[in-house]
Amino acid sequence: MTETSHEHIHTQTEDSVEKRFQDIHHEIREQEHTVDSILSFIKKHHRHLIPGGILSQQMLEAGLPSYGARLVELFDDISYQGTLAETIVELETLERKQPGEVYRRWKLFVSEAQAIQKEAPKTDAVEAASWVLGPHTNPLIPESNFLTQTPKDITWFFLQENALPQIKHIAAYATLEREFVAKARALEQQWLGNGGIKVVVGDQVSPEQVEQLFGPRGAAVLYDLLPPSLQKAVSLISLTGYRKPKKIKKRRQAVQKEIVGKFERENRTMFFLISEHSDIHSILQTWFHELGHALIAGISPTDQDIRRQFLKAVARSGHLNQEYVDDIYFHYGIVHGLEDDFADNFRLFCLFPHELQKSEPERFEAMKKIFAQYLPDVSLEKMREKIYTLIQEVETKK
C-alpha cells in the first residue's frame, strides 16, 4: 500500500541532513551499476525463483534461493487436483513403485538450489534491484538476501543431506508452492488493471461534501480526466472519513504523519480521506501522485522496465528530489524512496511538466520516454484542459 502524507519532522542539522541525502544518492548510483547483472541472474532463473510459498520462504531464511517452483516441476507427474491427503497417496504410490524415487528428486532439488546460490552475485546492496523487480514475487528480500549469504544448514534441517523430510511434508510443500507459482504467473501477465469507473462513499462522508468537492458526478469525474490507458490503473475510488494524524517514531525522531490519500496495489483501490479542509486542488495533487504508484503497481515486464528507466534517471541526476521525497528516502530507505520519487515525478509531469523539465531534466526525460513508449494515448495538454475545466466548475458552484 502507498500513502500520500504531510509530515512534520524534527530534523537534525541542515549539514548532517544534506550529507545523508548525498550518501543515499551515492548509494543509488553505486547500486545502479550492479542492477543489470543482478536482474540478468534473476531472469536466468526466473522460472524457479518465486518466493511466495512456505518452502521458498524457509529457503530464503536458510540463505538459499527461493527455489520452490522447481520442486513443483520435479513432481509434475503428480496431479495436485485432489486434497492434500490424495497428493500424499500419489507420492507414496510413486515411492512404492519406484523405491527411492521421491527422495532422489528431493535431493536433486536441494543440490540445484545450492548450485544456484553459489552462482548468485555476491552483494547485500539489493534495494535498487529489488524495487525494479517489484512486489509480490521478489526474491531479493534485504533481511533474507540469499545473494550475500552462506546456506545455513541448521536453520532448516530438511536441507541437510542426511535429514530428509517425510513424504507428507514434500507433498505439502509442492502443493503450496504450486498455488503461489500459479498466482505469480498470472500477475506477470498484466500491466495496469482492468479498470472500472466505480466509487464507494463511506458513511462519514456526506453527499453534500462529495458534490461540493467534485460536482454532480462525484469522484467518478476523476476518471474523466484520464485517457483510456490510465483509467485501467484504478479499479475503485473510495472516499472515507478523515483520520487524525498519528504520531510515530522513526530513527529516534518524532514524526507526525497526516494521511490524505493512499493506493492499495492488491485491489487497485484509491482512497481519499475527506475532511472539512479538503478541496479539489489537494485532491487532484493526491490523485496524480497515487496514479504514479498505480502505474507501476505490478510485476509485469512493463512495470519492471518503467522502474528500470526511472532508476537510471535518478542515478544520472545531480541530486535526489524535493523535500517530501527526500524525507521518504531519509526515513524509509531506497526502495520506498524510489517508489515515491517516481510517483511524485509522475504527478509533476502530468500537472507541471515545464517546472519539472527545468528542475529535474533527467527525470523529465525519463517520464517523457515512458509516456511515449507505454502511454501513447495520453495528451498532457488535453488532460490539463480537463483539469482546469473541472476546477472552474467546482469553484464556480461554491
Side-chain angles (χ1 to χ4, degrees), residues 195-228:
I197 304 176
K198 186 176 180 181
V199 178
V200 173
V201 181
D203 294 338
Q204 294 175 306
V205 182
S206 70
E208 292 76 20
Q209 276 182 301
V210 174
E211 185 164 358
Q212 184 180 31
L213 285 171
F214 302 102
R217 280 210 65 206
V221 74
L222 294 174
Y223 286 106
D224 297 343
L225 306 175
L226 309 176

Side-chain angles (χ1 to χ4, degrees), residues 147-163:
L147 296 185
T148 191
Q149 293 186 34
T150 299
K152 305 178 184 67
D153 287 341
I154 60 172
T155 303
W156 191 42
F157 68 90
F158 286 166
L159 293 177
Q160 299 181 68
E161 293 182 2
N162 298 320

Side-chain angles (χ1 to χ4, degrees), residues 223-248:
Y223 286 106
D224 297 343
L225 306 175
L226 309 176
S229 59
L230 277 176
Q231 287 182 5
K232 293 165 62 178
V234 179
S235 299
L236 173 69
I237 293 175
S238 177
L239 306 182
T240 64
Y242 188 72
R243 294 180 300 183
K244 290 183 179 180
K246 58 182 180 180
K247 291 185 178 180
I248 59 176

Side-chain angles (χ1 to χ4, degrees), residues 17 61 105 140 172 246 254 394:
V17 171
E61 292 173 8
R105 298 185 196 185
L140 301 180
K246 58 182 180 180
V394 170

Side-chain angles (χ1 to χ4, degrees), residues 211-217 221 224-225 280 385-398:
E211 185 164 358
Q212 184 180 31
L213 285 171
F214 302 102
R217 280 210 65 206
V221 74
D224 297 343
L225 306 175
I280 190 60
E385 287 177 359
K386 290 181 179 180
I387 292 169
Y388 178 77
T389 300
L390 173 62
I391 292 173
Q392 291 295 105
E393 289 175 352
V394 170
E395 293 190 337
T396 298
K397 289 184 178 181
K398 284 185 180 180

Side-chain angles (χ1 to χ4, degrees), residues 42-57:
I42 298 295
K43 183 177 180 180
K44 178 180 177 182
H45 299 288
H46 166 258
R47 183 174 175 180
H48 301 131
L49 292 180
I50 300 177
I54 293 175
L55 171 62
S56 288
Q57 289 296 323

Side-chain angles (χ1 to χ4, degrees), residues 31-174:
Q31 289 196 25
E32 196 277 328
H33 292 312
T34 64
V35 163
D36 284 337
S37 63
I38 294 174
L39 295 182
S40 177
F41 166 78
I42 298 295
K43 183 177 180 180
K44 178 180 177 182
H45 299 288
H46 166 258
R47 183 174 175 180
H48 301 131
L49 292 180
I50 300 177
I54 293 175
L55 171 62
S56 288
Q57 289 296 323
Q58 291 180 322
M59 294 183 76
L60 283 172
E61 292 173 8
L64 287 167
S66 51
Y67 199 57
R70 175 60 172 151
L71 183 67
V72 178
E73 187 178 77
L74 284 169
F75 289 99
D76 62 359
D77 50 350
I78 302 300
S79 68
Y80 300 106
Q81 297 304 311
T83 64
L84 176 58
E86 289 171 325
T87 302
I88 294 172
V89 170
E90 285 194 63
L91 280 182
E92 289 174 339
T93 301
L94 173 63
E95 182 66 16
R96 191 165 52 252
K97 290 181 177 179
Q98 302 179 54
E101 177 63 14
V102 171
Y103 290 108
R104 183 194 70 79
R105 298 185 196 185
W106 174 264
K107 290 178 181 179
L108 175 61
F109 162 72
V110 173
S111 65
E112 287 183 4
Q114 291 173 340
I116 289 178
Q117 198 280 335
K118 292 176 182 177
E119 177 192 339
K122 300 306 176 194
T123 177
D124 57 0
V126 299
E127 291 88 351
S130 178
W131 181 68
V132 172
L133 284 168
H136 302 301
T137 60
N138 185 346
L140 301 180
I141 302 173
E143 57 270 23
S144 303
N145 176 17
F146 72 92
L147 296 185
T148 191
Q149 293 186 34
T150 299
K152 305 178 184 67
D153 287 341
I154 60 172
T155 303
W156 191 42
F157 68 90
F158 286 166
L159 293 177
Q160 299 181 68
E161 293 182 2
N162 298 320
L164 297 173
Q166 297 179 36
I167 285 180
K168 66 180 181 180
H169 293 139
I170 296 177
Y173 287 133

Side-chain angles (χ1 to χ4, degrees), residues 145-371:
N145 176 17
F146 72 92
L147 296 185
T148 191
Q149 293 186 34
T150 299
K152 305 178 184 67
D153 287 341
I154 60 172
T155 303
W156 191 42
F157 68 90
F158 286 166
L159 293 177
Q160 299 181 68
E161 293 182 2
N162 298 320
L164 297 173
Q166 297 179 36
I167 285 180
K168 66 180 181 180
H169 293 139
I170 296 177
Y173 287 133
T175 301
L176 291 171
E177 293 295 323
R178 182 175 178 272
E179 295 301 317
F180 280 99
V181 170
K183 177 183 177 182
R185 294 296 177 243
L187 289 170
E188 290 170 353
Q189 299 305 310
Q190 187 174 33
W191 174 52
L192 300 179
N194 297 317
I197 304 176
K198 186 176 180 181
V199 178
V200 173
V201 181
D203 294 338
Q204 294 175 306
V205 182
S206 70
E208 292 76 20
Q209 276 182 301
V210 174
E211 185 164 358
Q212 184 180 31
L213 285 171
F214 302 102
R217 280 210 65 206
V221 74
L222 294 174
Y223 286 106
D224 297 343
L225 306 175
L226 309 176
S229 59
L230 277 176
Q231 287 182 5
K232 293 165 62 178
V234 179
S235 299
L236 173 69
I237 293 175
S238 177
L239 306 182
T240 64
Y242 188 72
R243 294 180 300 183
K244 290 183 179 180
K246 58 182 180 180
K247 291 185 178 180
I248 59 176
K249 281 203 170 184
K250 297 181 295 189
R251 301 186 185 182
R252 299 181 182 178
Q253 297 184 36
V255 177
Q256 185 169 315
K257 189 172 184 181
E258 183 178 323
I259 307 301
V260 295
K262 63 183 180 181
F263 174 75
E264 286 190 351
R265 66 175 79 242
E266 289 77 13
N267 50 16
R268 291 193 171 271
T269 297
M270 191 82 74
F271 290 89
F272 291 97
L273 280 73
I274 305 301
S275 75
E276 59 184 12
H277 304 296
S278 299
D279 59 43
I280 190 60
H281 295 280
S282 63
I283 285 172
L284 286 171
Q285 297 292 327
T286 300
W287 175 239
F288 280 95
H289 174 95
E290 297 299 330
L291 272 174
H293 288 298
L295 190 72
I296 54 170
I299 58 171
S300 72
T302 299
D303 288 282
Q304 293 174 350
D305 184 57
I306 291 173
R307 287 191 288 261
R308 183 69 185 99
Q309 289 188 45
F310 187 76
L311 172 61
K312 289 180 180 179
V314 174
R316 287 196 304 267
S317 68
H319 55 279
L320 290 181
N321 212 306
Q322 70 274 16
E323 183 177 352
Y324 166 71
V325 174
D326 278 353
D327 284 341
I328 302 297
Y329 277 115
F330 189 93
H331 293 288
Y332 294 99
I334 289 174
V335 173
H336 288 288
L338 287 167
E339 180 71 19
D340 262 277
D341 200 335
F342 179 88
D344 220 49
N345 278 276
F346 178 90
R347 173 185 68 86
L348 293 169
F349 186 79
C350 290
L351 301 179
F352 311 107
H354 299 300
E355 289 85 342
L356 179 63
Q357 185 176 22
K358 183 178 179 180
S359 62
E360 304 287 350
E362 295 86 1
R363 289 169 171 82
F364 174 84
E365 289 301 322
M367 285 292 176
K368 184 179 177 181
K369 181 180 178 183
I370 289 166
F371 270 66

